[in-house]
Amino acid sequence: MICKTVLLVLFCIASQKLVKGHSWMSCPRPFDTYPDKAGDTTGPCEKWYKGATTDVLAGDRLKVGWTSNNHGGGYVRLALVPESQKDSHEAYLNNVLKVVCYGHDQRPGMFRFDVLDNERYDTTITIPFNLADGIYILQYKAAIGIELKPYYNCAKLRVTGGDPSLDCTTDKAPPVGPCRLGPPGAGLPLSNLTKDAKLGDFCFHPDKVGAIDDRIREVPINVDCDPRITCQVSVSPAVCKHELGMDKIADAWDPKQPNCGVVKPPPPPTCDDGVQNQGEHAIDCGGPNCKACPDVADTGYEEYIEHIIDNEWCSGYVVTVLAKIKRFMNGNWQVTIFYDYPLEIVSHWNAVLVSHNKFKTIYSFQGFAWNQYLQNGDFIEFAFEGHFTEQRSTPKTLLLECYQCQSSPSSLRAFALKPKTCESLDCPSGFQCEERRKSPCTEYPCTQARCIPSSLK
């Protein structure tokens, strides 16, 4: 009898340790903020209801995150209901915000599934504009890994500033994208979250037209919340402590990372102060605020030009500039970028950095001999790494010009029409050639080559 009792106690202790490994929503702060709690498989929320309340305005962007606790694969359903309906499974089923992948990590370089130990998984939502003032319950329901039961978690939101007269009635089911799943045949099917589910009648824009939450690039109001919580729920606390930023989480009950700061608007434009400032191309002309400067080089060559952030952190980012050409260029191209705040460009590739102003808010790049002659359908593509010196630098204007352009002699046009291959390019030291095929290919030539840093090959 004594042996049986001891075995039972040991089994209970082991079971508690296993249960604590399951996942829950940690951003925004949930009903129960205890960082070592057990997962709830009953729902629709955990039973503890005296935890944190998050104050939000209608239209705010909010981060929703959960600690993986050594799980990977599956889906998460997020729903929002008034406080009076917090105990109704059906209410959450009829008021879905979105269905997302469980194992999605938004940190630079951390979108991966092979290392699951206490990774940060999160998404963002817009607080609907058509909510009446009051308390609302945000529900997290997850079907993850090999688990045979869903996991539930809820957070309390105090919403103000909405307009209940807005009508975004819908009968649509929530869209679901492809996600990594657990082992074949293991875990819960997606239907556990989506069967009979319906999107809520939520307005995500203030003008009645906007039943689609498409504001995914906006910074959430709780950007400093870190869903990873603490290393005490990790299977390897010693390894977890060396994860990026884990040493900066001071309070596991309210886990946060240091905020990069508040972005302030630039000062009012001045186009008559006799100084070249605020992104002006020359003194009191050009740039995002002032009239164009006289004698500007030939423009109108691009179908589009984009400033694409490939990777970003608190103090800087890596950017690719991509432009599609819509007419023949027989002179050297130049791309000029106007920023609202100074940017220190520390490295660049696939272009020549020809100039910048003394404030480091205007940068001009030109092509090499191998990529300056372009025709309709070709692309200009170059990249650089920039560091912020004051606040986050945001591009206000991207200008593509063709300098020294002239009427197209047959020799230049013949040169431009030759297929650009790695055999015809002489890449500088430290660079290797990469060939790309246009898809779809609508006109000759179909291949375009470029030089990229050898470290990226």
Side-chain angles (χ1 to χ4, degrees), residues 188-413:
L188 290 171
L190 173 61
S191 59
N192 187 272
L193 303 181
T194 59
K195 183 180 179 182
D196 299 326
K198 177 186 127 6
L199 288 171
D201 298 331
F202 300 130
C203 293
F204 294 111
H205 292 267
D207 54 5
K208 296 186 181 181
V209 180
I212 298 175
D213 187 0
D214 57 0
R215 298 164 52 198
I216 60 175
R217 291 186 179 274
E218 296 184 21
V219 177
I221 60 171
N222 59 337
V223 64
D224 53 352
C225 183
D226 193 322
R228 296 175 296 171
I229 309 176
T230 173
C231 286
Q232 71 190 60
V233 296
S234 172
V235 293
S236 179
V239 174
C240 173
K241 289 177 181 178
H242 294 288
E243 284 272 345
L244 180 65
M246 289 304 295
D247 59 332
K248 293 182 173 64
I249 301 178
D251 182 5
W253 294 69
D254 187 14
K256 292 182 179 180
Q257 289 288 335
N259 200 323
C260 295
V262 178
V263 178
K264 298 179 181 179
T270 55
C271 299
D272 55 2
D273 59 358
V275 179
Q276 183 179 344
N277 54 15
Q278 297 178 325
E280 294 169 355
H281 201 186
I283 295 176
D284 294 338
C285 72
N289 304 310
C290 303
K291 292 182 179 179
C293 298
D295 300 323
V296 175
D298 195 5
T299 59
Y301 284 89
E302 77 275 11
E303 183 174 320
Y304 60 79
I305 183 168
E306 298 178 327
H307 181 280
I308 304 167
I309 297 175
D310 298 321
N311 197 349
E312 182 170 2
W313 54 98
C314 278
S315 59
Y317 47 42
V318 173
V319 169
T320 293
V321 175
L322 180 67
K324 185 175 182 181
I325 304 305
K326 66 180 181 181
R327 65 189 180 99
F328 177 63
M329 302 180 75
N330 64 0
N332 201 354
W333 57 263
Q334 176 169 299
V335 172
T336 302
I337 309 174
F338 302 85
Y339 290 98
D340 54 357
Y341 288 101
L343 182 70
E344 183 75 35
I345 292 184
V346 297
S347 63
H348 58 281
W349 50 96
N350 263 11
V352 179
L353 176 55
V354 293
S355 68
H356 63 74
N357 66 345
K358 65 179 182 179
F359 305 105
K360 296 188 176 180
T361 56
I362 305 175
Y363 284 88
S364 293
F365 297 85
Q366 290 183 358
F368 290 103
W370 55 265
N371 68 350
Q372 65 178 247
Y373 295 110
L374 301 171
Q375 64 168 345
N376 181 27
D378 281 347
F379 290 89
I380 295 172
E381 183 177 0
F382 63 93
F384 57 84
E385 179 180 337
H387 294 177
F388 313 141
T389 60
E390 295 180 9
Q391 301 187 37
R392 185 183 187 280
S393 305
T394 302
K396 294 301 182 182
T397 303
L398 282 84
L399 176 66
L400 173 62
E401 305 165 299
C402 183
Y403 278 86
Q404 301 172 346
C405 279
Q406 52 190 319
S407 59
S408 304
S410 58
S411 58
L412 281 178
R413 181 170 292 276

